[in-house]
Amino acid sequence: MDIIVCIKRVPETAEADLVIDASKKAIDTDGLVFSINEWDNYAVEAAIQLKESVGGTITVISVGPEENNEVLRRALAMGADEALRLTDPAFEGSDAYAMAKILAAAVKDIPHDLILTGVQADDDGFGAVGVALAQMLGLPYAALVTDIQLDGETLTVHRELEGGLEEVDTLKLPALLTIQTGINEPRYVSIMGIRRVARKEIGVKGAGDLGLSEEAVGAKGSLSRIEELFFPPVGEGAEIIEGTMDEKTEALVKILKERGGIA
Amino acid sequence: MEKIAVWVEHRQNEIRDITFEMLGKAHQLVGDGGQVIALFLGDPSQKGLLDKITPHAHRTVAYLDSNLKDFEPLRYQAAFADIFEKVDCQLILMGQTAFGMDFAPAVAARWEIPFTTDIVDVEVDGGLIAVRQMYSGKVSAKVSLKEADKMLCTVRAGAFPAEDLPTVSGEVQEITGAVEGDFSARAFVEYLEAAVGDVDITQADVIVSVGRGIKDADNIPVAQELADALGGVVACSRPVADKKWLPKERQVGTSGKTVKPKVYIALGISGAFQHQAGMKNAGTIIAVNKDPKAPIFGIAHYGIVDDLFKVVPALTEKVKELRGWGNSDK
Amino acid sequence: MEELQQPLPERLDLFTCIQCGKCTGGCPVSIKSPLNIRRVIRETVVREDLHGFFSRLEIWDCTTCSTCAIRCPRGLKPVDAIIGLREMMVEEGRIEKTIIDALDGAYKYGNPWGRAKNKRAEWAQDLDIQNALEMDPGQILYFVCCAASYDPRVQVVAKTLVTVLKAAGVSFGILGNKEVCCGSEIRRMGEVGLFEMLMEENMKNFGKIEPATIVTTSPHCMNALKNEYEGLGSEVLHYSQFVRRLMDEGKLAFETEVPMKVTYHDPCYLGKQNGVFDEPREILTSIPGIEFIEFGRCRENSLCCEGGGGRMWMEGTNQGKRLSEVRVEDALEMGVEAIITACPFCLLTLEDAVKTTGNEEKIKIIDLMELAVMGLGKTLETEG
Ligand SMILES: Cc1cc2nc3c(=O)[nH]c(=O)nc-3n(C[C@@H](O)[C@H](O)[C@H](O)COP(=O)(O)OP(=O)(O)OC[C@H]3O[C@@H](n4cnc5c(N)ncnc54)[C@H](O)[C@@H]3O)c2cc1C
Ligand SMILES: Cc1cc2nc3c(=O)[nH]c(=O)nc-3n(C[C@H](O)[C@H](O)[C@H](O)COP(=O)(O)OP(=O)(O)OC[C@H]3O[C@@H](n4cnc5c(N)ncnc54)[C@H](O)[C@@H]3O)c2cc1C
Ligand code: SF4
Ligand code: SF4
């Protein structure tokens, strides 16, 4: 079984004090630590487990600058066979739709029975690239996958629904799945493991190599645009809710509703 | 914006809350004179569900086909293709839910509908500006969509209130469909309830976590009831797991699990460094603690300084009230 | 890297083991864990394939206290077999999530708790401490430790040490946000590559300032820097050794009465592994008012607190009573008001045990430097 996994390199921002840059459209990533998108780490592990059980190859693809080699190398150390990086100045400003077009152009040239993406990216979190990509490729797909069983040409998958409910679906290969965290326990990648693949070549392709016109990708080929970033109002430390018990719980219910606390 | 279509999300013969939240926002956006259109795909036997929808939509387009009972994206898309032209609207709203995340990007890609996802607000002022969160909620973004006849947004659950929906006298347009084609490439099989007792706190969106402040194993149900009402799970600090009041798998922290729920409610937890390490990345942290100096308040977003045994039952009551016991999705 | 290629028994000379069992006899966790170090040695020698170990969680129960190495009549280091097995598990990537998180944190942020790099020196913000990177060669460097940098409880220890050093008129600096984890625990969790990486990073900075002496908060850092950092020219001292020296040099004297009955818990990495038994005792007994009594199990026979060898991130399989709880109960029986210790991990595990045994009102866990500050008549910061 030949599997393609799309992986994104994202900044880790949970611990950091973020700064919005001068363009107001992006954050200042200076000093931030980058790593593989958490969901994609699970996707790579899922691919390796499938390969371990039925054989085949794994190709990892990432769209982005040379720094993305880091996450591609890590995936190679984890057990992927080939790595491909897609980069072109024309790709800048791509939204999820344009990103899917870029990936679609690349996977067309690579034999595949299965494509895996993450459910969403840690940073932008559009949660859209995988499903849009499947649509462009005309592949059956399933989003939010938490379990994969392979039986010949048929996949049986579980999808995570709300409130602890799951859905079971079958899919015919070739197919695309967007992988949810928790589907497996991604293995650790040791520093020595990464060093061992340090010299492995990583393929690079640009818009031209993929047969993509400049109009098709980047800001021009996108359907949406980020206009402005801003900080939602938050205070230092906890906002202490005061009042009578009734007022306190009333305020809590409101917060719970707003913050997705009532699942 | 005059015409907005809202995708009616239903599962297991229940309309999901998100639908009403979107209807509310749609009414607000179209204002007087505008039109809110409800889009319903389902099995003819599910027609009764429409009774809850039609009073709140100017028009309801119901596509009924015996194969549309459960969500299958390929079949749903084919059905939607049948009516796509007939639905005259500028904006389609879907939920950023297990349904919407599986369906919306495909629909958008297929018809090249400008779209964005997981929005928490939307303004229409000339063009459309959606507000969505990035970097786990640390930054908000205004996103504009390319001009087009139709646009699409998926809406975060809970972003808009579902109460006080305007009642309008709406018409229903029933379409008895017969979706043609071979959709076996992806087929729905069944629903699976998560096994009881088999709680994975790392996957939960809502966590009610208890510390030593819970005092005794007999008090765990106080937290459990709140968790049930919220649709969440109960987790704990290490001493609680140590004492076997809850299984070890529920322990949050450096030597337990790392969790990242949307909401983490810490009840009677002091917030030791080792505990914080396991939950500091939760979307919203709410702490209830008697001690105003407890370190947990240093990382919580909201706090209540009070006895948890007073706060929690009162809160549980309020949440149950809100849910109206039973008409919700569990 | 070469070393790893060699099979474990050859690398560690395990063939010479006579299966006497002295190692297991002294192993503090053997009474409560399936871990039997003698048997592990035997199995590593006779088994062709060591993969069978990979699913055995008790390999992570070892606290790397090194009691086994002290007791082995053949001069073997049984603990290194455990670390060797962990190395193999790490290479396969099959390790527990909490361990992965700790390793990832150290890799990305330079500390196993994954806290932000630029917050490492936040504890020192208002203390007016020199940036070591601007010091001339031959000075004193204070190597703070991840726990002391980030854990509010241990930050207090770092602050008190700073108070003590300043009281003695010592000129010193810290690396601030440039310091990274010493790698001691990382190595013991089996991630040699990462240990080397962290070591190189620290060595790069040490090289810039060539300190005459490096003083550490943690015995674990001290042990790593002193015994495992190859080519480090500086003298490495745990703070207890350094402060003891300051007393000798007449720079420091404790004159404030601290009426308290205390005992002292020997950190394994300070005592058993580096033979530093006397200095901490000499410091605390020089404080007027202190009534000192020894634990029954002290010095070489001291009971491990279970905080080392990665155990801060891995509970281990043992269901029995925590050894730290045993320690606290022993101390209560002795009627002391406080256990004094000199290691961040001991401090945390013992203090936690005070809580879990519900003895907050009866006994305190105090770091040696906190006691020293009292002896200097300064105020002790308790709020972290
Ligand atoms: C300079 C710059 C400008 C930008 N401008 C815009 C803009 O104007 N409008 C806008 O909407 N966005 C913009 N973005 C962000 C944009 O490129 C997003 O990455 C894109 O919208 C995809 O969304 P997502 O990353 O949230 O993917 P999701 O849909 O959340 O990701 C799902 C999955 O898709 C795959 N995937 C996503 N990205 C990649 C990748 N790079 N390589 C390989 N696989 C990937 C992964 O498997 C991932 O798990 C900009 C980014 C940059 C750096
Ligand atoms: C190596 C090691 C690993 C550890 N790993 C973990 C870990 O993974 N996870 C973890 O959680 N801990 C861990 N710990 C323990 C940690 O250090 C703390 O001891 C622990 O988190 C404290 O738990 P707690 O907050 O429940 O209890 P306490 O610190 O005792 O706090 C109880 C809180 O409840 C409040 N309270 C009491 N009664 C009420 C009431 N009626 N209403 C409201 N509030 C009330 C009190 O004010 C207090 O703040 C670890 C410790 C060590 C040494
Ligand atoms: S190092 Fe300590 S815990 Fe580990 S095997 Fe040896 S004696 Fe036991
Ligand atoms: S003490 Fe040494 S010789 Fe005796 S069993 Fe243990 S390792 Fe072997």
Side-chain angles (χ1 to χ4, degrees):
Chain A
M1 174 134 112
D2 296 323
I3 307 173
I4 295 174
V5 191
C6 303
I7 62 176
K8 185 180 186 185
R9 177 174 175 268
V10 297
E12 295 207 352
T13 54
E15 273 279 309
D17 299 321
L18 297 186
V19 178
I20 294 170
D21 75 6
S23 77
K24 292 226 171 171
K25 293 181 198 299
I27 57 160
D28 188 349
T29 52
D30 265 5
L32 292 183
V33 174
F34 284 78
S35 58
I36 183 169
N37 178 33
E38 193 183 349
W39 280 266
D40 303 348
N41 196 29
Y42 287 90
V44 174
E45 177 67 35
I48 297 170
Q49 291 187 8
L50 281 167
K51 178 183 150 179
E52 282 171 351
S53 72
V54 297
T57 65
I58 299 170
T59 306
V60 285
I61 306 183
S62 188
V63 182
E66 196 161 351
E67 287 82 9
N68 286 38
N69 285 354
E70 228 178 83
V71 294
L72 289 168
R73 281 245 147 70
R74 191 178 175 284
L76 289 170
M78 234 168 132
D81 303 283
E82 301 293 332
L84 175 64
R85 187 165 60 84
L86 310 175
T87 184
D88 200 299
F91 294 167
E92 257 165 61
S94 295
D95 69 354
Y97 174 74
M99 194 59 77
K101 278 198 271 187
I102 298 167
L103 290 167
V107 302
K108 276 193 185 123
D109 301 333
I110 306 168
H112 58 267
D113 304 297
L114 182 64
I115 301 176
L116 302 180
T117 74
V119 163
Q120 67 181 54
D122 250 329
D123 51 356
D124 307 299
F126 284 93
V129 170
V131 170
L133 174 61
Q135 180 66 34
M136 288 173 190
L137 297 169
L139 293 180
Y141 69 89
L144 293 144
V145 170
T146 55
D147 188 49
I148 308 173
Q149 300 298 332
L150 176 68
D151 179 14
E153 294 294 297
T154 306
L155 288 172
T156 301
V157 302
H158 290 192
R159 293 183 58 225
E160 181 187 288
L161 309 180
E162 288 79 12
L165 194 67
E166 288 190 350
E167 176 186 300
V168 184
D169 298 292
T170 54
L171 289 110
K172 288 201 183 126
L173 294 178
L176 182 147
L177 306 176
T178 83
I179 301 298
Q180 177 64 314
T181 53
I183 185 173
N184 50 39
E185 288 175 27
R187 65 199 66 194
Y188 179 71
V189 187
S190 75
I191 303 300
M192 280 198 209
I194 294 172
R195 280 189 201 148
R196 270 195 289 274
V197 296
R199 273 185 290 278
K200 184 148 172 80
E201 209 180 320
I202 291 176
V204 180
K205 284 187 179 176
D209 306 311
L210 299 172
L212 288 166
S213 73
E214 285 198 15
E215 281 70 37
V217 294
K220 285 186 204 141
S222 291
L223 298 172
S224 66
R225 194 169 63 217
I226 292 175
E227 297 291 347
E228 189 191 352
L229 299 187
F230 61 97
F231 290 112
V234 277
E236 261 298 294
E239 179 189 317
I240 301 293
I241 302 165
E242 319 258 9
T244 63
M245 189 54 71
D246 197 54
E247 285 162 359
K248 284 184 196 172
T249 49
E250 196 60 47
L252 270 189
V253 167
K254 187 158 171 285
I255 294 160
L256 285 168
K257 265 175 24 191
E258 277 166 12
R259 304 302 184 100
I262 305 191
Chain B
M1 194 144 296
E2 292 127 36
K3 292 178 180 172
I4 298 181
V6 170
W7 193 284
V8 177
E9 191 172 327
H10 60 93
R11 179 183 302 142
Q12 292 178 311
N13 287 319
E14 270 181 30
I15 307 274
R16 300 186 48 76
D17 290 348
I18 179 79
T19 308
F20 302 106
E21 295 164 14
M22 293 190 291
L23 283 172
K25 188 65 189 177
H27 274 288
Q28 190 203 329
L29 285 172
V30 298
D32 290 340
Q35 213 184 30
V36 174
I37 307 156
L39 293 178
F40 181 89
L41 263 58
D43 181 85
S45 71
Q46 294 169 316
K47 236 173 79 178
L49 291 176
L50 289 175
D51 296 345
K52 290 210 173 109
I53 301 298
T54 47
H56 306 300
H58 299 96
R59 196 176 142 213
T60 302
V61 179
Y63 190 98
L64 303 171
D65 177 314
S66 58
N67 288 315
L68 296 175
K69 184 154 177 281
D70 296 300
F71 170 58
E72 288 180 320
L74 306 179
R75 200 185 290 277
Y76 263 46
Q77 244 191 56
F80 190 44
D82 268 2
I83 57 169
F84 186 69
E85 299 297 333
K86 299 192 185 104
V87 183
D88 174 23
C89 66
Q90 289 116 13
L91 176 64
I92 304 172
L93 296 179
M94 295 186 191
Q96 175 77 353
T97 55
F99 159 75
M101 291 176 84
D102 197 301
F103 193 57
V107 167
R110 172 165 174 172
W111 282 285
E112 282 192 48
I113 308 173
F115 79 114
T116 194
T117 58
D118 200 18
I119 66 165
V120 294
D121 204 359
V122 53
E123 295 159 24
V124 191
D125 179 20
L128 179 144
I129 298 279
V131 178
R132 61 191 308 285
Q133 296 182 341
M134 308 217 283
Y135 304 102
S136 0
K138 283 194 159 183
V139 175
S140 296
K142 289 187 176 167
V143 177
S144 67
L145 296 182
K146 196 169 151 181
E147 270 190 54
D149 298 343
K150 279 193 175 68
M151 292 177 280
L152 178 114
C153 291
T154 64
V155 175
R156 175 174 293 191
F160 306 120
E163 296 101 64
D164 307 325
L165 278 183
T167 304
V168 294
S169 54
E171 53 176 289
V172 184
Q173 184 183 353
E174 259 181 50
I175 302 170
T176 315
V179 190
E180 301 277 332
D182 175 8
F183 306 109
S184 61
R186 167 160 164 198
F188 170 85
V189 181
E190 60 174 338
Y191 292 111
L192 277 184
E193 291 285 345
V196 215
D198 186 23
V199 173
D200 182 358
I201 59 169
T202 63
Q203 295 305 306
D205 279 342
V206 181
I207 294 179
V208 177
S209 197
V210 296
R212 279 211 302 163
I214 198 80
K215 295 278 181 320
D216 198 279
D218 296 343
N219 295 328
I220 299 287
V222 174
Q224 186 65 55
E225 250 189 78
L226 176 60
D228 289 345
L230 295 172
V233 302
V234 175
C236 63
S237 66
R238 185 165 90 160
V240 172
D242 271 3
K243 293 195 161 71
K244 306 205 163 50
W245 296 348
L246 280 168
K248 199 80 195 159
E249 299 78 59
R250 306 280 187 101
Q251 179 187 324
V252 172
T254 47
S255 53
K257 299 266 162 73
T258 302
V259 297
K260 219 163 84 180
K262 289 194 181 123
V263 173
Y264 188 89
I265 306 179
L267 304 174
I269 293 178
S270 63
F273 180 74
Q274 287 83 7
H275 187 81
Q276 287 192 13
M279 45 67 80
K280 60 182 193 298
N281 295 337
T284 300
I285 299 168
I286 300 170
V288 180
N289 197 305
K290 284 201 292 205
D291 175 8
K293 284 203 291 199
I296 190 79
F297 289 123
I299 60 157
H301 302 99
Y302 299 96
I304 290 192
V305 182
D306 209 328
D307 185 346
L308 77 92
F309 294 107
K310 291 194 191 126
V311 178
V312 178
L315 178 61
T316 308
E317 222 26 65
K318 278 246 158 65
V319 176
K320 282 184 183 169
E321 233 167 75
L322 176 80
R323 299 225 130 179
W325 256 150
N327 80 17
S328 62
D329 52 288
K330 254 216 135 306
Chain C
M1 262 182 102
E2 307 284 271
E3 273 183 308
L4 257 188
Q5 319 299 346
Q6 221 189 352
L8 214 49
E10 275 88 352
R11 173 151 64 103
L12 302 174
D13 216 14
L14 301 180
F15 293 113
T16 60
C17 165
I18 51 169
Q19 286 291 300
C20 69
K22 283 209 67 154
C23 47
T24 299
C27 174
V29 298
S30 70
I31 43 159
K32 41 182 269 187
S33 154
L35 178 69
N36 178 333
I37 180 69
R38 177 194 55 78
R39 220 167 50 216
V40 169
I41 303 295
R42 171 98 189 120
E43 284 179 62
T44 46
V45 171
V46 298
R47 286 195 178 195
E48 287 277 306
D49 182 4
L50 298 180
H51 279 79
F53 275 111
F54 288 23
S55 56
R56 284 166 56 178
L57 275 182
E58 72 261 25
I59 297 301
W60 296 94
D61 288 355
C62 166
T63 69
T64 68
C65 69
S66 271
T67 307
C68 51
I70 295 177
R71 289 170 58 102
C72 176
R74 305 301 308 245
L76 299 179
K77 292 203 170 100
V79 54
D80 286 353
I82 300 270
I83 297 172
L85 288 170
R86 291 180 182 176
E87 280 166 13
M88 294 168 64
M89 297 182 196
V90 163
E91 276 311 294
E92 294 269 319
R94 287 290 164 215
I95 48 178
E96 291 290 294
K97 180 78 169 72
T98 51
I99 302 281
I100 293 181
D101 286 347
L103 297 178
D104 270 348
Y107 174 64
K108 292 177 189 161
Y109 298 99
N111 70 85
W113 287 284
R115 305 310 288 254
K117 262 195 167 121
N118 62 7
K119 294 186 179 149
R120 190 172 184 105
E122 237 170 34
W123 68 274
Q125 237 165 24
D126 308 317
L127 298 182
D128 189 26
I129 305 175
Q130 248 192 97
N131 176 357
L133 290 169
E134 287 162 11
M135 295 189 314
D136 292 330
Q139 310 263 341
I140 292 162
L141 171 70
Y142 170 30
F143 190 86
V144 183
C145 160
C146 302
S149 298
Y150 295 103
D151 189 318
R153 177 63 187 96
V154 192
Q155 282 174 351
V156 179
V157 177
K159 289 178 191 167
T160 50
L161 176 55
V162 168
T163 308
V164 172
L165 294 179
K166 285 189 173 169
V170 177
S171 152
F172 66 98
I174 59 173
L175 291 173
N177 294 338
K178 294 277 189 284
E179 179 183 295
V180 296
C181 176
C182 70
S184 169
E185 293 304 285
I186 303 302
R187 180 177 190 158
R188 280 150 188 83
M189 289 189 262
E191 181 39 309
V192 206
L194 183 52
F195 168 75
E196 283 169 6
M197 215 177 100
L198 295 165
M199 174 174 74
E200 278 159 26
E201 178 68 21
N202 279 323
M203 284 294 273
K204 195 180 76 197
N205 287 321
F206 296 160
K208 284 183 196 151
I209 50 170
E210 296 176 355
T213 302
I214 301 177
V215 180
T216 73
T217 317
S218 172
H220 296 257
C221 305
M222 181 266 254
N223 182 65
L225 266 53
K226 183 168 165 225
N227 304 323
E228 292 166 2
Y229 274 40
E230 280 159 34
L232 175 60
S234 313
E235 170 193 42
V236 181
L237 297 176
H238 178 250
Y239 73 64
S240 60
Q241 298 170 291
F242 189 69
V243 167
R244 182 70 190 84
R245 181 185 292 173
L246 292 174
M247 287 162 59
D248 273 345
E249 290 169 353
K251 290 181 179 152
L252 206 59
F254 305 106
E255 278 153 6
T256 306
E257 181 108 2
V258 184
M260 206 190 291
K261 189 171 169 188
V262 304
T263 184
Y264 173 72
H265 167 84
D266 284 285
C268 297
Y269 274 72
L270 192 59
K272 291 190 194 84
Q273 301 195 31
N274 285 288
V276 180
F277 295 111
D278 296 330
E279 291 88 335
R281 289 175 170 77
E282 286 160 9
I283 294 172
L284 71 91
T285 49
S286 79
I287 300 173
I290 289 290
E291 184 189 339
F292 172 64
I293 41 176
E294 286 279 11
F295 268 119
R297 277 177 277 187
C298 62
R299 301 177 75 99
E300 286 89 349
N301 296 320
S302 175
L303 187 64
C304 172
C305 77
E306 290 190 87
R311 289 291 302 281
M312 291 301 286
W313 300 274
M314 178 87 182
E315 293 266 6
T317 63
N318 43 77
Q319 298 297 315
K321 188 181 273 184
R322 288 209 177 87
L323 298 177
S324 51
E325 294 178 351
V326 174
R327 214 55 175 157
V328 167
E329 281 164 8
D330 285 354
L332 278 168
E333 222 154 88
M334 290 153 57
V336 297
E337 294 157 73
I339 303 176
I340 311 300
T341 191
C343 164
F345 295 162
C346 298
L347 184 68
L348 291 170
T349 49
L350 292 171
E351 204 161 79
D352 196 57
V354 170
K355 276 193 187 178
T356 51
T357 55
N359 285 308
E360 287 114 314
E361 308 300 321
K362 297 190 199 124
I363 192 163
K364 293 205 155 35
I365 311 298
I366 300 177
D367 187 90
L368 183 58
M369 282 306 103
E370 295 176 313
L371 195 68
V373 164
M374 292 188 231
L376 290 171
K378 312 233 173 198
T379 44
L380 170 66
E381 263 191 271
T382 45
E383 303 286 277

